[in-house]
Amino acid sequence: MKGLKSRWPARLFALVFVAAVGVAAAFVGWALAPIRLSGSPLDFNVRLGSPARSAAEQIRAQGADLSPRLFYWLARLSGKGTQLKAGSYQIEQGVTPWDLLRKMARGDQSLLSLTVPEGWTFAQFLAAADQAPGLVHDAEGLSASQIMQRIGAPAGLDPEGEFFPDTYLYGQGTSELTLLRRAYHLMQRELAQAWAGREQGLPLRDPRQALTLASMVEKETGHPGDRARIASVFVNRLRAGMPLQSDPTVIYALGSAYRGHLTHKDMQLASPYNTYVHAGLPPGPIALPGAASLRAALHPADGRALYFVARGDGSSVFSDTLAQHDAAVTRYLLQAHRASGASATARAGATSATSATSGASGTPTAGRASASTAASASTDGDARRRPLSR
């Protein structure tokens, strides 16, 4: 009897040890066993500030058979409980609780994206953000000035041109204003860097004017290699005191009234953005310029060109004199019309185009030839309306 009593603590310890080993084995087996999912792949969101147990409850509610109690202990024992990142995730059949824990500790989220092409307007950016899946549309119903105030922009700053065109990645549940704020601050950094490294002696007072010129270059450019030369034409005209006479500024001023081609009446539109009737740069940007157009505006090509006309393949021919420009207008406008099978119309259009290059005030116009050929030649109208030839 006495020997049995002396062996009892050892047996009890052995039973506890075996039980502990069994529990540990079962726990490890659970941690390494695939989670049953309601569908594969399974997307789920975890709210900001959620501890491990709460995160597991949210994941379970969204279709994963995950024990919140066991997941809490797995996170705690592994030391990863304080490392879990909120956000949007995607898991597939075969993922284990241990895989999931490591994924969330790394913040390996499934991200959505919104692409903002160079040359879009702020209105186009806002419309795309309003339709983007996964965003919390907290900018809906706000005016442009209210949006600018909410993202921390200076009071009274017009939003046009102030957002950098790029592809933005975001998680499910991201605020639309957060995305806009990122694009705004990125443009401010890009513009500040470009302005700091600008060529000296440019006829530009401040970064805002540089942004305005860059937006015009963006809208006028059909071929990337022409950006610096187009910028040079506008800089040469600013230095000479000549009107810039850029079609995209008139198109911007027309807004929804633009019908795909510009008329003589459109060129007389009473708007400060109309560079046919107002000298100098327009009062602000007309689009969201990319980094290449910012560089071109602040480092224009060398040369004395005052005119350019579209070849019809996206590139342009640049001319120093009005006579050279008139010859280029006639040549490429005729070619464009012949290619479309309308040679008779081309002959009439070329005549009017050549006479129109002097403009209503008798000042030669910059930019492309005339008529409607460039509009039909544009192949990227969803992201960039190529200006009409003139």
Side-chain angles (χ1 to χ4, degrees), residues 202-355:
L202 294 174
L204 303 171
R205 288 196 310 269
D206 50 43
R208 178 74 174 174
Q209 284 201 335
L211 190 63
T212 299
L213 177 57
S215 73
M216 294 174 62
V217 171
E218 192 69 69
K219 296 299 287 185
E220 287 277 15
T221 300
H223 188 277
D226 286 342
R227 279 194 178 94
R229 298 189 70 186
I230 289 172
S232 178
V233 168
F234 288 134
V235 167
N236 290 341
R237 283 184 157 252
L238 286 171
R239 285 172 171 155
M242 299 171 67
L244 299 183
Q245 297 178 311
S246 170
D247 284 5
T249 64
V250 182
I251 292 171
Y252 183 80
L254 286 168
S256 60
Y258 177 62
R259 293 293 179 261
H261 66 279
L262 292 177
T263 66
H264 211 55
K265 181 181 178 182
D266 293 334
M267 300 299 188
Q268 308 307 313
L269 180 70
S271 166
Y273 284 89
N274 185 349
T275 54
Y276 279 86
V277 297
H278 292 280
L281 291 164
I286 60 171
L288 311 180
S293 290
L294 285 171
R295 285 194 299 271
L298 292 167
H299 296 276
D302 293 332
R304 296 180 298 175
L306 296 170
Y307 315 91
F308 56 95
V309 57
R311 282 192 176 94
D313 61 358
S315 64
S316 301
V317 175
F318 295 83
S319 303
D320 293 355
T321 68
L322 178 58
Q324 293 171 347
H325 179 60
D326 282 347
V329 166
T330 303
R331 177 183 176 186
Y332 290 104
L333 186 61
L334 283 171
Q335 284 185 359
H337 277 285
R338 283 170 181 158
S340 65
S343 58
T345 306
R347 283 190 291 274
T351 303
S352 62
T354 304
S355 61

Side-chain angles (χ1 to χ4, degrees), residues 4-5 27 44 92 145 184 220 271 303 328 334-335 345 375 377 380:
L4 181 63
K5 285 183 178 179
F27 182 70
F44 65 87
E92 297 185 351
S145 60
Y184 169 74
E220 287 277 15
S271 166
L334 283 171
Q335 284 185 359
T345 306
D380 55 351

